[in-house]
Amino acid sequence: MTHSGAGEQSKSAPESARGSAQSRGSWRFWRAAFAALLLVHLLALYWPRIEIEGAPQDADKWTHLVLFGAPVVAAFLAVGSMRWLAWLVVLFLLHAPVSEILQARLLPGRSGDVRDALFDGAGVVLGVGLGTLLRRRVTRRGAGRID
């Protein structure tokens, strides 16, 4: 948390999420969650292929949905600036096809799949929706309103 003057807080986190020590703890939790989910996201996309016997058909598509959606949701609760959130969403949307190209061309045993990229993008869109809803709820709660 940065202070720009006596008693003035910067607007780098959701305004209401910074009001109390409990809220600041929650904000820190979501920052750590975002970092952890981003690490899982990158490891899962760029790790050598792991085959899971008996996995349901298209289970990897749902994995792509979660790998892209979960960090976006966490970002909405960890990042205060809407400008930064917009950039993160754009980066995740761009990363969807780029990750498939990199998997196909640079990673032995991996392949690129257009459907995977589509599920990645759908995960980002769902993450934006859920993240927006949760962020509004946190903002209302921090402002003293009852949901």
Side-chain angles (χ1 to χ4, degrees), residues 129-147:
L130 183 57
T132 299
L133 291 173
L134 292 173
R135 184 180 174 105
R136 285 180 184 161
R137 184 178 177 129
V138 167
T139 302
R140 282 190 203 122
R141 186 176 295 148
R145 296 185 202 134
I146 298 173
D147 293 326

Side-chain angles (χ1 to χ4, degrees), residues 18 70 84 94 129:
R18 304 194 76 178
W84 278 107
L94 291 173

Side-chain angles (χ1 to χ4, degrees), residues 31-95:
R31 279 213 162 167
F34 173 71
L37 289 166
L38 183 61
L39 179 62
V40 169
H41 169 87
L42 293 171
L43 287 173
L45 290 174
Y46 298 110
W47 199 263
R49 188 162 193 77
I50 299 171
E51 292 294 330
I52 300 173
E53 294 296 323
Q57 184 179 359
D58 290 332
D60 69 314
K61 303 304 179 247
W62 297 104
T63 302
H64 279 266
L65 193 82
V66 172
L67 282 174
F68 277 77
V72 170
V73 170
F76 268 76
L77 297 169
V79 177
S81 166
M82 290 306 289
R83 180 176 292 160
W84 278 107
L85 280 173
W87 276 110
L88 282 171
V89 168
V90 168
L91 287 174
F92 273 99
L93 286 171
L94 291 173
H95 188 231

